[in-house]
């Protein structure tokens, strides 16, 4: 049985539906701060109110449903984290610590994602290695590196089966991202359809790793189901599907919508964060140890995103 924290978020709302299809509705317990958000999640299986900063609420959900895997997605993302670093520390570090403690006591496995944000300006930027220098300069990044180390600690010291990937920016059409630095790559599709123009907050030439949500969900399932004997790494596998700059995603959309226009109004806070992150990751460890193999590149993602968003926004007529 699986408990998903942050199940109403950008990843959680889609992962819940995928896992319910795969493992059965009643075997996947969704949870969040409030009984609000994706109707599909609320109607298709069990839901619990869980604030991850309150350990008893995690323990109650785990005990009530006899959970043996916790997929911990509740987090404050990079941009929101810079405007509220204390909250980011409390939720990201406090929440993860609470989840790991409950997992230790209840003998659960834990999957929790790290991020390309776990790297900083002194990390090699191109083809960033799996094992390298990690001196992030955002509170979100600090919580991600510390989270990776804490998950390793709980595996080595207590035998908790902890696993995780370093996600790049994730792009999807179901649920908006929750205040990250890569959100522009989601917003641009909405604006292209709704307004035919977009003002980009990230400077052209700023490369960041990105991934379409279907590949991200496959990464979580494939790592969770991987043979643990094959895992040389445990947490924080580098995974990526593409790396692009604003001009590239603009051009990919323009192939389908020739009248689409884009200009720039750089947001210094977002630009600062983006500049501190890698340009492209080396994800060979994930490919070797558990068969990571993304399916969507920029053109395939753009074609699917525009098709699905036009339906969602009622512009497919
Ligand atoms: C963010 N979308 O921008 C998240 C993610 C790599 C980016 O961690 O904060």
């Amino acid at each position: 049985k699986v408990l998903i924290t942050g199940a109403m978020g950008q990843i959680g709302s889609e992962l819940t539906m995928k896992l319910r299809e795969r493992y059965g509705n009643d075997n996947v317990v969704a949870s969040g701060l409030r009984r609000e958000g994706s109707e599909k999640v609320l109607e298709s299986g069990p839901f619990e109110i869980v604030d991850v900063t309150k350990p008893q609420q995690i323990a109650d959900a785990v005990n009530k449903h006899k959970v043996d895997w916790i997929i911990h997605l509740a987090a404050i993302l990079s941009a929101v984290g810079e405007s509220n670093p204390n909250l980011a520390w409390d939720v990201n570090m406090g929440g993860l610590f609470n989840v790991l403690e409950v997992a230790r006591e209840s003998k659960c496995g834990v999957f929790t994602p790290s991020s390309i944000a776990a790297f900083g300006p002194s990390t090699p930027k191109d083809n960033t290695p799996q094992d390298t220098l990690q001196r992030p300069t955002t509170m979100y990044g600090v919580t991600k590196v510390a989270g990776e180390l804490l998950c390793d600690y709980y595996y080595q010291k207590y035998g908790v089966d902890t696993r995780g990937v370093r996600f790049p920016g994730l792009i999807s059409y179901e649920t908006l991202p929750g205040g990250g630095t890569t959100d522009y790559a989601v917003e641009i599709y909405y604006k292209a359809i709704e307004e035919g123009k977009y003002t980009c907050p990230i400077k052209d030439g700023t490369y960041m790793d990105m991934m379409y949500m279907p590949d991200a969900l496959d990464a979580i399932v494939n790592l969770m189901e991987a043979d643990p004997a094959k895992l040389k790494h445990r947490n924080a596998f580098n995974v990526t599907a593409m790396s692009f700059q604003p001009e590239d995603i603009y051009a990919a959309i323009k192939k389908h919508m020739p009248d689409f226009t884009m200009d720039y109004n750089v947001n210094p806070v977002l630009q600062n964060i983006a500049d501190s992150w890698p340009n492209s990751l080396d994800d060979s460890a994930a490919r070797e140890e558990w068969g990571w193999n993304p399916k969507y590149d920029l053109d395939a993602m753009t074609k699917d995103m525009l098709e699905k968003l036009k339906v969602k926004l009622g512009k497919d007529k």
Side-chain angles (χ1 to χ4, degrees), residues 30-36 47-51 57-58 60-61:
S31 73
L33 276 179
R34 283 170 293 279
R35 207 183 162 77
E36 275 166 29
F47 180 89
E48 297 292 346
I49 301 278
V50 170
D51 173 348
Q57 293 185 12
I58 307 169
D60 290 349

Side-chain angles (χ1 to χ4, degrees), residues 266-284:
V266 176
N267 173 319
V269 172
L270 295 182
Q271 190 60 43
N272 233 346
I273 297 172
D275 286 342
S276 74
W277 291 352
N279 296 326
S280 61
L281 292 189
D282 168 0
D283 60 4
S284 51

Side-chain angles (χ1 to χ4, degrees), residues 47-68:
F47 180 89
E48 297 292 346
I49 301 278
V50 170
D51 173 348
V52 293
T53 64
K54 307 231 176 356
Q56 196 51 52
Q57 293 185 12
I58 307 169
D60 290 349
V62 164
N63 299 332
K64 175 179 171 184
H65 296 275
K66 297 185 182 33
V67 165
D68 47 24

Side-chain angles (χ1 to χ4, degrees), residues 54 58 60 66 78 90 101 104 110 116 128 143 168 178 181 197 227 245 304:
K54 307 231 176 356
I58 307 169
D60 290 349
K66 297 185 182 33
S78 58
D90 288 347
E101 273 295 283
R104 178 175 64 79
V110 176
I116 59 174
T128 302
T143 69
T181 302
K197 63 180 173 35
D227 171 4
Q245 57 175 336
D304 197 58

Side-chain angles (χ1 to χ4, degrees), residues 1-5 20 23-32 35 41-42 44-50 56-70 102 106-108:
K1 280 235 181 158
V2 173
L3 169 69
I4 300 177
T5 71
R20 282 179 174 166
Y23 302 145
N25 288 348
D26 290 344
N27 291 324
V28 181
V29 183
S31 73
R35 207 183 162 77
V41 166
L42 290 173
S44 61
F47 180 89
E48 297 292 346
I49 301 278
V50 170
Q56 196 51 52
Q57 293 185 12
I58 307 169
D60 290 349
V62 164
N63 299 332
K64 175 179 171 184
H65 296 275
K66 297 185 182 33
V67 165
D68 47 24
W69 263 100
I70 304 174
V102 169
S106 310
K107 307 234 178 308
C108 300

Side-chain angles (χ1 to χ4, degrees), residues 1 9 47 53 74 83 94 112 132 136 173 176 196 199 201 241 247 251 256 285-286 299:
K1 280 235 181 158
F47 180 89
T53 64
S83 58
T112 194
T132 185
Y173 56 84
L176 287 173
T199 298
E247 201 62 32
H256 300 266
D299 284 333

Side-chain angles (χ1 to χ4, degrees), residues 10 77-79 114-117 140 167-170 177 179-183 209 277:
Q10 182 193 15
L77 295 185
S78 58
S114 179
S115 159
I116 59 174
Y140 174 72
F167 272 139
L170 299 183
T181 302
T182 58
D183 295 7
D209 286 281
W277 291 352

Side-chain angles (χ1 to χ4, degrees), residues 11 71-73 111-115 140 144 163-167:
I11 303 173
I71 300 181
H72 177 49
L73 303 176
F111 176 97
T112 194
S114 179
S115 159
Y140 174 72
K144 285 295 156 188
R163 307 186 192 189
V165 295
R166 291 182 187 128
F167 272 139

